[in-house]
Amino acid sequence: GQQLNQSPQSMFIQEGEDVSMNCTSSSIFNTWLWYKQDPGEGPVLLIALYKAGELTSNGRLTAQFGITRKDSFLNISASIPSDVGIYFCAGRNKGNKLVFGAGTILRVKS
Amino acid sequence: KAGVTQTPRYLIKTRGQQVTLSCSPISGHRSVSWYQQTPGQGLQFLFEYFSETQRNKGNFPGRFSGRQFSNSRSEMNVSTLELGDSALYLCASSLEALTAEQYFGPGTRLTVT
């Protein structure tokens, strides 16, 4: 089936640094979403993108819907300890199913 | 507004048994989707319900089934449990069917022994 390639798999960064992660696919998606999951909890929606080229911010988070509709990136500026967790990208395809990436594990050194 | 609630939070079952998980969506949300999350396969879509009808289905065997009630609450059932069914089962609700913005509950951790 369709797959989303999410990278990097994990990151270990210094507090205050900017973080960047991305998702790519060989297939076109109509919507891109970014979620964060903390241990023992369900994923929390961070940003939703609906149009190719769209750039959207949510506080220190910025995400973009790639113009080819096959990729998306998420940036986190000035990371803080509570940013730790697993970040997932998800795309909604023509069949209207939500397909998830494998996740990026973010660890922050304080 | 209360979020998505799932019960039970933890469950231990034996191979061959069946299990029923419950999900209450956010008030006013009419669509409920179910996902299975495992370390090996990640988050995988099971099915979506809207107005008591299954609107979309993932690639899972028929042992996995679900239903939605008139108050939008949903249940999923897994029959003849296998060890590989051990996973975190997540429910997500959205306002309408086939809407991208889904809001997840905390999940039910199922362990099959």
Side-chain angles (χ1 to χ4, degrees):
Chain A
Q2 286 181 304
Q3 293 205 346
L4 293 183
N5 301 307
Q6 188 170 349
S7 64
Q9 281 187 320
S10 65
M11 305 179 72
F12 197 20
I13 62 167
Q14 197 78 30
E15 184 179 352
E17 285 183 345
D18 295 345
V19 173
S20 187
M21 59 191 79
N22 68 82
C23 260
T24 61
S25 175
S26 58
S27 305
I28 288 173
F29 287 90
N30 298 323
T31 306
W32 284 93
L33 302 151
W34 285 92
Y35 286 88
K36 177 181 182 239
Q37 187 173 24
D38 292 326
E41 300 294 330
V44 173
L45 181 62
L46 299 173
I47 293 180
L49 302 156
Y50 297 98
K51 292 181 186 176
E54 180 181 352
L55 184 71
T56 298
S57 292
N58 178 8
R60 293 179 296 104
L61 277 59
T62 301
Q64 183 158 31
F65 191 145
I67 56 172
T68 64
R69 294 165 64 193
K70 294 181 180 180
D71 63 329
S72 177
F73 73 74
L74 174 71
N75 286 340
I76 305 173
S77 62
S79 56
I80 58 177
S82 62
D83 289 335
V84 299
I86 306 177
Y87 291 80
F88 292 98
C89 63
R92 189 177 277 275
N93 59 22
K94 278 198 309 185
N96 281 306
K97 294 176 186 175
L98 211 51
V99 178
F100 282 80
T104 293
I105 301 171
L106 183 63
R107 299 181 179 92
V108 179
K109 287 186 282 189
S110 56
Chain B
K1 201 183 258 192
V4 177
T5 57
Q6 292 186 245
T7 56
R9 291 292 309 272
Y10 302 92
L11 205 49
I12 300 175
K13 289 286 190 178
T14 305
R15 265 182 306 178
Q17 287 185 316
Q18 72 155 13
V19 67
T20 299
L21 312 181
S22 181
C23 171
S24 293
I26 292 170
S27 177
H29 283 197
R30 300 196 293 160
S31 175
V32 172
S33 298
W34 288 90
Y35 294 83
Q36 181 194 66
Q37 187 176 30
T38 60
Q41 299 298 317
L43 269 155
Q44 292 189 292
F45 172 72
L46 279 155
F47 27 66
E48 179 178 16
Y49 285 87
F50 178 80
S51 290
E52 303 175 64
T53 303
Q54 188 180 89
R55 295 301 178 105
N56 218 337
K57 190 176 185 306
N59 299 322
F60 279 81
R63 298 185 298 107
F64 292 81
S65 63
R67 60 177 177 167
Q68 187 180 33
F69 302 95
S70 58
N71 62 358
S72 296
R73 192 176 69 83
S74 177
E75 289 181 346
M76 71 161 276
N77 183 278
V78 187
S79 62
T80 320
L81 283 165
E82 301 176 0
L83 293 178
D85 297 333
S86 294
L88 181 67
Y89 289 89
L90 291 158
C91 163
S93 78
S94 54
L95 273 172
E96 299 291 336
L98 311 179
T99 302
E101 292 190 33
Q102 296 184 350
Y103 298 86
F104 284 84
T108 295
R109 172 73 62 187
L110 172 65
T111 302
V112 182
T113 62

